[in-house]
Amino acid sequence: MLALHDFHAARGAQFSVYNGAEAVTSYGSSKSEYNALASEAALIDLSFRSRICLVGSDREKFLHGQVTNDVQRLKVGEGTYAALVTHKGKLETDLFIYKLQDELLLDFEPGLTQKITDRLSKYIIAEDVQIIDVAPHYTLLSVQGPRAAEVLSPFFPELPTKALTWTKTTYPNGDLYLMSNGRFGPPGFDLFVPTADTNSVAEKLASSIKPAGLNACEIARIENGIPRFGIDMDESNLAPEALRENAISYAKGCYIGQEVIARIRTYGQVAKALRLIRLPDEPQHLPTKAEKLFHNAKEVGFITSSTLSPKHGAKVALAYVRKEANSVGQSLNVATPEGPLATIISA
């Protein structure tokens, strides 16, 4: 159960369980919650996500050899977006990594703490590295939206200004870490809050920031073309098929899966890649996961997630499309129960 379950329930929250973790889906009006997220600022409880810390003198060198992005270049106060992949280049999770003073903080999708801990532990041989589940000790709140910095500035003396950098401030039960991370498209900030301080921080923020649930976040995420592990990508995907370009460093040294990923870049594109597609207003059908895409009667891809997008004024979807048909502006058809539905790749 969320540490703030009663806080959310008092505000009319509706709950769901995702990968064994409780999350708020809505407070009764996903439309108004989305409007706050897209045009102002919204308070979101992301404490259902997994959070671990790596400690020990070899933590940076070790993690650098495990993930797709450059960890050793990070200075204290900086972070990066990356992924863990298998030796075949297949995804195990994407994640945000932050370099704290004496730890590396990893933030990733819910329900994966044991899996990722086991994966990392497998490669700890003689290194001085310990893995700690910090989710019981720190909750994760987020303020997202174009006015996020404006509404947070009265509460925090210093805001991080560059993406994936952080500042901290002292609270009665520990340090609160404030990370610059626009998760769903608009700017935003994550707050890693000592669990014992969570209710007081949430009450303070809720006095001026509208809360939003995951339904509103999903609309913003999909319409901005941001994939989510477990929905738009999974263990069957090669990292370059789904990840944003900033998740992979092609200049760093060796890591698990690097040879496969480097070979893909050297010899050409992946066979398929994730694209944002736009759909007509009529008929009313909104494509569902796994519905197939066709080009000139040939199957070329499939839908992973979709939404009715206020930003685009249309239905949009994320979909994998084969390289011969995935250029921007390409027309495709979705095979629906009602018949073919014309679409166009928009990004």
Side-chain angles (χ1 to χ4, degrees):
M1 182 181 292
L2 290 168
L4 288 175
H5 179 93
D6 292 343
F7 168 91
H8 299 307
R11 288 161 174 80
Q14 299 163 5
F15 299 92
S16 63
V17 176
Y18 182 74
N19 270 8
E22 183 181 65
V24 177
T25 53
S26 172
Y27 295 88
S29 175
S30 295
K31 180 179 180 180
S32 65
E33 294 162 36
Y34 166 87
N35 289 338
L37 174 61
S39 60
E40 297 182 11
L43 174 64
I44 305 151
D45 190 346
L46 297 177
S47 298
F48 64 94
R49 287 177 62 85
S50 303
R51 298 176 293 291
I52 62 175
C53 272
L54 270 59
V55 298
S57 59
D58 297 323
R59 63 188 181 277
E60 292 174 33
K61 181 180 178 182
F62 170 76
L63 190 62
H64 185 80
Q66 297 293 318
V67 299
T68 57
N69 220 332
D70 193 332
V71 175
Q72 290 188 320
R73 70 169 175 79
L74 295 178
K75 300 180 178 65
V76 173
E78 296 180 339
T80 191
Y81 176 60
L84 276 168
V85 299
T86 68
H87 68 282
K88 294 183 178 181
K90 297 293 183 72
L91 286 166
E92 292 188 285
T93 189
D94 64 335
L95 68 166
F96 295 103
I97 302 168
Y98 298 100
K99 183 174 179 177
L100 310 186
Q101 188 68 47
D102 300 306
E103 306 153 281
L104 291 171
L105 171 62
L106 281 58
D107 158 37
F108 47 97
E109 286 288 337
L112 300 180
T113 297
Q114 191 60 54
K115 173 189 170 184
I116 299 307
T117 297
D118 290 346
R119 150 62 203 268
L120 293 173
S121 298
K122 175 183 175 182
Y123 291 97
I124 298 173
I125 308 300
E127 294 88 354
D128 177 21
V129 180
Q130 296 85 46
I131 303 168
I132 302 169
D133 180 7
V134 295
H137 311 293
Y138 274 81
T139 55
L140 174 52
L141 304 181
S142 194
V143 177
Q144 299 286 319
R147 294 186 58 226
E150 179 185 340
V151 298
L152 279 175
S153 57
F155 303 111
F156 299 100
E158 183 183 5
L159 298 180
T161 55
K162 292 177 59 179
L164 298 184
T165 60
W166 60 266
T167 59
K168 70 176 181 178
T169 187
T170 301
Y171 266 71
N173 295 285
D175 290 329
L176 183 153
Y177 293 88
L178 184 64
M179 280 71 170
S180 176
N181 188 353
R183 288 180 175 269
F184 308 113
F189 298 86
D190 288 341
L191 294 81
F192 290 83
V193 185
T195 301
D197 295 315
T198 300
N199 196 74
S200 62
V201 171
E203 290 285 356
K204 183 188 299 183
L205 294 176
S207 66
S208 60
I209 307 171
K210 182 181 180 67
L214 291 187
N215 289 350
C217 297
E218 283 294 280
I219 296 171
R221 177 188 72 79
I222 295 167
E223 69 181 8
N224 284 293
I226 299 171
R228 184 174 175 189
F229 188 80
I231 296 178
D232 304 292
M233 50 185 175
D234 57 30
E235 294 88 347
S236 68
N237 291 115
L238 291 163
E241 292 177 344
L243 291 177
R244 289 167 277 171
E245 190 66 24
N246 66 341
I248 302 174
S249 169
Y250 292 99
K252 64 173 284 188
C254 292
Y255 61 90
I256 305 300
Q258 186 233 10
E259 289 185 7
V260 173
I261 292 173
R263 195 179 308 126
I264 290 170
R265 187 171 189 248
T266 300
Y267 294 105
Q269 295 176 292
V270 286
K272 65 180 184 294
L274 201 63
R275 293 288 185 262
L276 181 69
I277 63 173
R278 182 170 177 148
L279 302 119
D281 293 334
E282 298 295 338
Q284 294 300 312
H285 179 82
L286 183 66
T288 56
K289 190 175 180 69
E291 286 190 343
K292 295 178 179 179
L293 291 165
F294 289 84
H295 176 59
N296 293 335
K298 178 184 177 182
E299 184 180 335
V300 293
F302 57 91
I303 303 289
T304 60
S305 56
S306 60
T307 191
L308 182 59
S309 166
K311 175 182 175 179
H312 296 284
K315 290 171 285 187
V316 298
L318 287 170
Y320 284 101
V321 187
R322 291 190 60 82
K323 64 180 180 180
E324 66 267 21
N326 68 13
S327 58
V328 174
Q330 178 67 63
S331 296
L332 304 170
N333 287 313
V334 182
T336 76
E338 294 79 22
L341 180 62
T343 72
I344 189 168
I345 297 177
S346 62

